[in-house]
Amino acid sequence: MEKKPYLTPKQEKVLNFIRERIGERLPPTIREIGKELGFKSTGTVRDYLKALIQKGLVRRMNNKSRAIELTERASFKIPIIGTIMAGKPNLAYEEIQGYVSADDLFLGRLGFDDVFALRVKGDSMIDAGILDGDVAIIKKRPDANNNDIVAALLENNEVTLKRLRSKSGKFHLEAANVNYPPIFEEFKVIGRLITVIRKY
Amino acid sequence: MEKKPYLTPKQEKVLNFIRERIGERLPPTIREIGKELGFKSTGTVRDYLKALIQKGLVRRMNNKSRAIELTERASFKIPIIGTIMAGKPNLAYEEIQGYVSADDLFLGRLGFDDVFALRVKGDSMIDAGILDGDVAIIKKRPDANNNDIVAALLENNEVTLKRLRSKSGKFHLEAANVNYPPIFEEFKVIGRLITVIRKY
DNA sequence: ATATATACCACACAAATGTGTGGTATGTCA
DNA sequence: TGACATACCACACATTTGTGTGGTATATAT
């Protein structure tokens, strides 16, 4: 993971403004940057952009309005400060190990087309760490394998989240909670669980 | 939740192209839309934009290049197809209850500045559904209360994820696993757990 | 002393982009 | 028939936007 190169305070401000505007869905024009930062000349802004490009933080397309992009290097990342050893803590605070982008954490580079969400209700998957109220992100039409957690359509036309198991060539569904018996009826796998999100 | 109004096939195509380009971080110009869709006149594209604006799917700013926005109504959402009753399934498939935007699910409208991530290692929080390998999103400098799960800095300068408990006016930390004893030593709350994300 | 980087401005010009007006053709509804 | 909506095109024009050239001034490094 490359570190961010040194930026002068003003360069930092320009970069932050660009980041902000991109976050608001419309990258700024050169003149908009100048107006925000108090520069009276477009040339000044171009000098800053040139510096940011040279430092590898910004990319541009020629002759296209607002065509300013942030590179990987400059795009916002959430720092992973350490691995929490939930059992025995063993990592010092402030030791930044790397970065994850919010996108990567969330859905990665999946297309959205074949993804949907289900809110989990009940405790039948509690031993797999899936709790009542969690949001389950499901990828449709997957190649679901033995032991994958899947969303399955049951005979009564209802959906459930269970672990897919095969036993002597036949698939069935298992809860992750001893209080729930396995399901041997007919079912159709709708999708595979790819992500669980829980908000507190 | 409003439903999407009826769109002609071409209007749908225009909308999709705009959505696509916004996804790639740069909304299109009128001429870019025309070129993509095969319209030879800017007027044609303007007619389509007018229709989409009238149907409440698009917003624009005057005299600003690329200033095309999708409204809430048109912006992409992950459908919540139902609440999974992980215990007893009780909801029909395809009954779309509403939508969540990816942003909402993930971090919501939090600023990123005071948020960081920790990867959980170990099983001390397993009874709270937090597993080895999960990513814990932590908000710094929070008002952490009794029973919140917090990231805490211990005396040996290490970080741990535990539940904050108060007993007769004094705070201590508790694991969510009977095999781990409570921690009564001095500690400092770094932040409060706001989100857990698990990828399969 | 010279080079190099930062930190700006002015201004002309070209290209991209949005706006406005006015067309044609086709079909539907009353 | 007339009114209206959809579905386009042509083209002039204004504005925005990017580009290019050429400045000034200050500080630091070699």
Side-chain angles (χ1 to χ4, degrees):
Chain A
M1 184 76 48
E2 331 89 296
K3 37 190 168 185
K4 204 158 110 178
Y6 170 76
L7 295 184
T8 65
K10 292 252 180 151
Q11 287 173 355
E12 194 89 44
K13 274 186 186 171
V14 171
L15 185 64
N16 281 338
F17 177 65
I18 295 169
R19 208 205 307 281
E20 198 179 294
R21 284 303 189 82
I22 288 178
E24 293 164 8
R25 300 241 157 270
L26 200 60
T29 63
I30 287 180
R31 283 170 181 82
E32 284 170 357
I33 296 172
K35 196 177 173 195
E36 172 75 14
L37 281 288
F39 301 132
K40 282 171 189 144
S41 168
T42 55
T44 305
V45 178
R46 278 156 56 80
D47 288 347
Y48 275 98
L49 289 179
K50 209 184 290 179
L52 292 174
I53 289 168
Q54 212 224 324
K55 291 178 181 179
L57 300 167
V58 160
R59 253 192 309 271
R60 291 188 70 203
M61 281 156 77
N62 288 340
N63 294 313
K64 294 265 152 215
S65 69
R66 303 178 187 277
I68 302 177
E69 255 188 320
L70 299 185
T71 64
E72 257 305 289
R73 214 161 171 181
S75 73
F76 187 86
K77 306 293 178 64
I78 298 175
I80 296 191
I81 286 182
T83 297
I84 271 198
M85 188 67 171
K88 287 183 193 157
N90 72 342
L91 275 166
Y93 184 51
E94 295 301 359
E95 182 196 328
I96 295 184
Q97 296 189 329
Y99 296 85
V100 218
S101 80
D103 281 358
D104 285 353
L105 264 185
F106 181 52
L107 288 178
R109 277 281 143 245
L110 280 173
F112 282 84
D113 285 352
D114 48 4
V115 172
F116 64 94
L118 293 158
R119 192 171 296 275
V120 175
K121 185 142 193 209
D123 61 355
S124 77
M125 292 303 284
I126 200 168
D127 291 346
I130 299 168
L131 310 186
D132 189 291
D134 288 0
V135 172
I137 310 292
I138 311 285
K139 189 177 191 304
K140 283 186 207 172
R141 305 179 222 86
D143 38 305
N145 297 312
N146 189 28
N147 289 327
D148 282 351
I149 296 174
V150 298
L153 181 63
L154 301 180
E155 283 176 324
N156 59 2
N157 236 20
E158 290 166 351
V159 180
T160 189
L161 191 67
K162 292 286 178 294
R163 195 177 291 278
L164 188 68
R165 295 282 196 189
S166 85
K167 207 171 188 177
S168 53
K170 272 204 72 156
F171 283 102
H172 68 279
L173 299 171
E174 269 185 27
N177 181 332
V178 289
N179 299 320
Y180 293 81
I183 298 173
F184 288 99
E185 65 176 77
E186 284 297 307
F187 63 88
K188 190 178 142 232
V189 172
I190 294 164
R192 181 170 60 85
L193 177 66
I194 54 170
T195 300
V196 169
I197 296 173
R198 182 184 311 141
K199 305 204 69 160
Y200 289 87
Chain B
M1 184 75 48
E2 332 88 295
K3 39 191 165 181
K4 203 158 112 180
Y6 170 76
L7 295 184
T8 66
K10 291 254 180 150
Q11 287 172 357
E12 194 88 45
K13 274 185 185 170
V14 171
L15 185 64
N16 281 337
F17 178 64
I18 294 169
R19 207 206 306 283
E20 199 179 294
R21 284 303 188 82
I22 288 179
E24 293 164 8
R25 300 247 158 265
L26 200 59
T29 63
I30 287 180
R31 283 171 182 82
E32 284 171 356
I33 296 172
K35 197 177 172 194
E36 172 74 15
L37 280 288
F39 301 132
K40 282 171 189 144
S41 167
T42 54
T44 304
V45 179
R46 278 156 55 81
D47 288 346
Y48 276 98
L49 289 179
K50 211 184 287 179
L52 291 174
I53 289 167
Q54 213 223 324
K55 291 179 181 178
L57 300 167
V58 160
R59 254 192 308 272
R60 290 189 70 205
M61 281 157 76
N62 288 340
N63 293 312
K64 293 267 154 215
S65 69
R66 305 177 186 278
I68 302 177
E69 254 189 320
L70 299 185
T71 64
E72 259 305 289
R73 215 161 170 182
S75 73
F76 187 85
K77 305 291 179 62
I78 297 175
I80 295 190
I81 286 183
T83 298
I84 270 197
M85 187 68 170
K88 287 184 194 157
N90 73 343
L91 276 165
Y93 184 51
E94 295 302 356
E95 182 197 329
I96 294 184
Q97 295 189 329
Y99 295 86
V100 218
S101 80
D103 281 0
D104 286 353
L105 263 185
F106 181 52
L107 288 177
R109 276 281 144 250
L110 280 172
F112 281 85
D113 285 352
D114 46 5
V115 172
F116 63 94
L118 293 157
R119 192 170 296 275
V120 174
K121 184 142 193 208
D123 61 354
S124 75
M125 294 303 284
I126 200 168
D127 291 346
I130 299 168
L131 311 186
D132 189 291
D134 288 359
V135 172
I137 310 291
I138 311 284
K139 189 177 192 304
K140 283 186 206 171
R141 305 177 223 87
D143 39 305
N145 297 312
N146 189 28
N147 291 327
D148 282 351
I149 296 174
V150 298
L153 180 62
L154 302 180
E155 283 177 324
N156 60 1
N157 235 22
E158 289 165 351
V159 179
T160 189
L161 191 67
K162 292 285 179 293
R163 195 177 290 280
L164 189 67
R165 295 283 197 189
S166 85
K167 206 171 190 179
S168 53
K170 270 205 74 159
F171 283 102
H172 68 279
L173 299 171
E174 269 185 27
N177 181 333
V178 289
N179 299 320
Y180 293 81
I183 298 173
F184 289 100
E185 66 174 76
E186 285 296 307
F187 63 89
K188 191 176 141 231
V189 172
I190 295 165
R192 181 170 61 84
L193 177 66
I194 55 170
T195 300
V196 168
I197 296 172
R198 181 184 313 140
K199 305 204 70 162
Y200 288 88

